[in-house]
C-alpha cells in the first residue's frame, strides 16, 4: 500500500510443486521494449512475469469511465472477495471509489458496478460483510481527487454503508462522518466497523480508533473509541512518543486494524503495535503493546508522513485459540529503513 499503486489486478492459482522447483519465467530479451501498461492479452502478461509454483489465470487493467482521465489503469489498495464477486478499493491517483467485479471467470473478469467516493476523498480501504451483504467504504480527504465538493461544501469523510445484495446495483444505505476529515485502515465484523480516523477531540492528523456500530446500516453510530494519550487536544505524549533519536517529532496515529477472534491488532505508526481486547467492542481494553520507537525511527525528511508500523498481522492458529505469532511491518520511504519483525505474542503483555 505504501504509496505504490498496483495498476493491475491479477488472479493466481497455486500449483503443487516441490520447494526446489524451477521458476516459471520465460526469458525476455528486452523487457523495456514493451509498455507494461499495454499488455492487453494474458499471454503477454505471462511473458513479463516471474513465478514459482503459481500460474497467472487472469489479468486486467480495469479501464473504464471510473478511472481518472489519463490513468493507464485502475490502481487498487484493498480487495475483498465474497464468493465470485470482488470488491476493490481504489488507489489514488487512478481510482477514487470502489469497483465491484465478477471474477467467476478469471480470464474474463467483468466489472459490475462502481461506487464513487465522496467528492474530495480517497477510498483506499473497504471491507465487506459477506453474510449480510453490506459493504463499508472508507472516505478520507484527498486533494488528488479531481471530483471536488461544490458550492464550498466541506469534504465528507468517514464510512459509507452499501447494500450489495445485487452487486450490479449497489445501494447506499447509511453514512458515518467524522471530524478532521481523515480516515485510514479499517476492519469489519457482522456488527462493528473498526476504522482509524480523526475525531472532534483529536489534534490535526492524529487518527485514533473509531468503533462504529452498524447493527442498523441506515443509522451507523459511534459505539466507542481508543487513542494514545497525547493524540487529543490538551494532552501530552509520553516520553516514548515524543522525539525520534534524530530529534524529529514522532508520528503517532492509528494506521491499520486487523481483527482475529476477540482481539484487535493495531499498527500505530511510531507507537508501534497495540493489542486490544474487544470481547466487548464498546469497551476496548489494552492487553499489550510493543513500542520500538525509539530506538528506531522513520524518514527524517518526511517526519509528517509515513514512519513506523504499517501492518500488524496476527498468524491464526488452525487449532483455534489466540494467535501466538504476529508479523509487524514498517512503512519507510528512505533511510533509515523499515523492517519486518516477527513477534511472539503468546504473552501480549
Amino acid at each position: 500500500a505504501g504509496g505504490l499503486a498496483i495498476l493491475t489486478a491479477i488472479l493466481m492459482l497455486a500449483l503443487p510443486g516441490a520447494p526446489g522447483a524451477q521458476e516459471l519465467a520465460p526469458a525476455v530479451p528486452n523487457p523495456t521494449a514493451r509498455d507494461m501498461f499495454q499488455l492487453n492479452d494474458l499471454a503477454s502478461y505471462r511473458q513479463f512475469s516471474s513465478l514459482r509454483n503459481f500460474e497467472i489465470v487472469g489479468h486486467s487493467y480495469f479501464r473504464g469511465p471510473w478511472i481518472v482521465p489519463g490513468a493507464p489503469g485502475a490502481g487498487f489498495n484493498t480487495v475483498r472477495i465474497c464468493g465470485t464477486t470482488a470488491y476493490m478499493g481504489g488507489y489514488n491517483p487512478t481510482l477514487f471509489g470502489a469497483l465491484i467485479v465478477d471474477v467467476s471467470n478469471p480470464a474474463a473478469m467483468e466489472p459490475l458496478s462502481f461506487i464513487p467516493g465522496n467528492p474530495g476523498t480517497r477510498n483506499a480501504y473497504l471491507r465487506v460483510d459477506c453474510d449480510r451483504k453490506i459493504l463499508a467504504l472508507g472516505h478520507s480527504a484527498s486533494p488528488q481527487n479531481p471530483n471536488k465538493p461544490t458550492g464550498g461544501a466541506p469534504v465528507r469523510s468517514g464510512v459509507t454503508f452499501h447494500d450489495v445484495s445485487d452487486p450490479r446495483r449497489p445501494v447506499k444505505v447509511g453514512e458515518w462522518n467524522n471530524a478532521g476529515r481523515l480516515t485510514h485502515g479499517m476492519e469489519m465484523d457482522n456488527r462493528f466497523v473498526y476504522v482509524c480516523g480523526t475525531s472532534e477531540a483529536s489534534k490535526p492528523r492524529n487518527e485514533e480508533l473509531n468503533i462504529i456500530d452498524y447493527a442498523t446500516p441506515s443509522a451507523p453510530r459511534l459505539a466507542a473509541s481508543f487513542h494514545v494519550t497525547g493524540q487529543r487536544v490538551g494532552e501530552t505524549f509520553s516520553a516514548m512518543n515524543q522525539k525520534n533519536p534524530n530529534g524529529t517529532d514522532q508520528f503517532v496515529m492509528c494506521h491499520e486494524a486487523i481483527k482475529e477472534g476477540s482481539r484487535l491488532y493495531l499498527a500505530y505508526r511510531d507507537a508501534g503495535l497495540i493489542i486490544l481486547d474487544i470481547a466487548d467492542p464498546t469497551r476496548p481494553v489494552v492487553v499489550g503493546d510493543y513500542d520500538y520507537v525509539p530506538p528506531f525511527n522513520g524518514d527524517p525528511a518526511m517526519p509528517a508522513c509515513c514512519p513506523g508500523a504499517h501492518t500488524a498481522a496476527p498468524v491464526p492458529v488452525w487449532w483455534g485459540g489466540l494467535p501466538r505469532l504476529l508479523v509487524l511491518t514498517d512503512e519507510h520511504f528512505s533511510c533509515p529503513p523499515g523492517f519486518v519483525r516477527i513477534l511472539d505474542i503468546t504473552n501480549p503483555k
Side-chain angles (χ1 to χ4, degrees):
L4 176 64
I6 306 301
L7 296 177
T8 60
I10 308 166
L11 268 72
M12 304 178 74
L13 174 67
L15 299 176
Q22 296 297 312
E23 290 190 358
L24 310 175
V28 180
N30 182 10
T32 61
R34 294 288 301 276
D35 183 347
M36 291 300 294
F37 302 117
Q38 301 298 330
L39 304 178
N40 291 320
D41 59 84
L42 193 54
S44 296
Y45 199 85
R46 285 172 172 161
Q47 180 188 10
F48 280 79
S49 303
S50 297
L51 306 172
R52 180 168 179 164
N53 298 334
F54 282 88
E55 176 188 1
I56 297 177
V57 295
H59 163 254
S60 176
Y61 296 108
F62 289 113
R63 297 183 176 116
W66 43 79
I67 66 172
V68 172
F76 301 107
N77 182 75
T78 305
V79 178
R80 289 295 182 271
I81 296 179
C82 296
T84 59
T85 303
Y87 301 86
M88 304 178 174
Y91 203 86
N92 47 298
T94 65
L95 184 74
F96 294 90
L99 189 64
I100 302 178
V101 179
D102 182 346
V103 293
S104 56
N105 180 2
M109 294 178 280
E110 177 192 2
L112 302 176
S113 58
F114 176 66
I115 301 173
N118 289 342
T121 68
R122 69 192 285 261
N123 317 101
Y125 293 91
L126 58 74
R127 292 293 186 270
V128 187
D129 182 336
C130 295
D131 294 329
R132 297 179 62 191
K133 304 291 192 284
I134 298 294
L135 167 70
L137 178 62
H139 305 258
S140 185
S142 171
Q144 291 182 308
N145 190 338
N147 180 23
K148 309 294 184 184
T150 59
V155 170
R156 295 195 334 270
S157 60
V159 180
T160 54
F161 295 85
H162 306 261
D163 182 336
V164 291
S165 52
D166 181 355
R168 294 183 181 273
R169 297 174 181 81
V171 178
K172 180 180 172 181
V173 293
E175 182 167 358
W176 172 82
N177 299 119
N178 64 317
R181 304 193 306 162
L182 297 179
T183 64
H184 218 89
M186 61 193 301
E187 184 61 289
M188 185 181 196
D189 57 28
N190 61 6
R191 172 72 183 270
F192 297 94
V193 167
Y194 310 83
V195 59
C196 299
T198 48
S199 73
E200 291 182 356
S202 60
K203 298 173 183 176
R205 301 202 72 220
N206 274 255
E207 297 178 54
E208 53 191 71
L209 175 70
N210 301 276
I211 302 179
I212 313 303
D213 185 341
Y214 75 103
T216 303
S218 60
R221 63 180 185 86
L222 182 66
S225 65
F226 167 82
H227 73 284
V228 170
T229 300
Q231 285 192 284
R232 292 186 172 182
V233 175
E235 295 180 345
T236 300
F237 283 112
S238 69
M240 267 306 273
N241 291 326
Q242 291 184 12
K243 295 291 183 180
N244 290 310
N246 60 10
T248 59
D249 290 333
Q250 289 190 32
F251 188 35
V252 176
M253 62 160 275
C254 177
H255 177 268
E256 191 169 2
I258 295 178
K259 182 176 183 285
E260 179 66 26
S262 61
R263 296 280 169 87
L264 197 66
Y265 300 85
L266 302 178
Y268 226 95
R269 293 298 194 194
D270 282 340
L273 161 70
I274 298 174
I275 303 176
L276 300 180
D277 184 324
I278 52 168
D280 179 355
T282 67
R283 294 179 175 84
V285 177
V286 177
V287 293
D289 67 88
Y290 181 77
D291 191 345
Y292 52 95
V293 183
F296 299 95
N297 67 279
D299 180 2
M302 303 179 72
C305 178
C306 304
H310 180 281
T311 299
V315 180
V317 289
W318 65 268
W319 57 87
L322 295 172
R324 299 180 180 182
L325 293 175
L326 180 136
V327 182
L328 180 65
T329 62
D330 290 341
E331 181 177 23
H332 295 174
F333 289 127
S334 64
C335 292
F339 296 91
V340 176
R341 295 170 174 84
I342 310 298
L343 301 184
D344 181 338
I345 57 171
T346 306
N347 179 2
K349 294 186 182 302

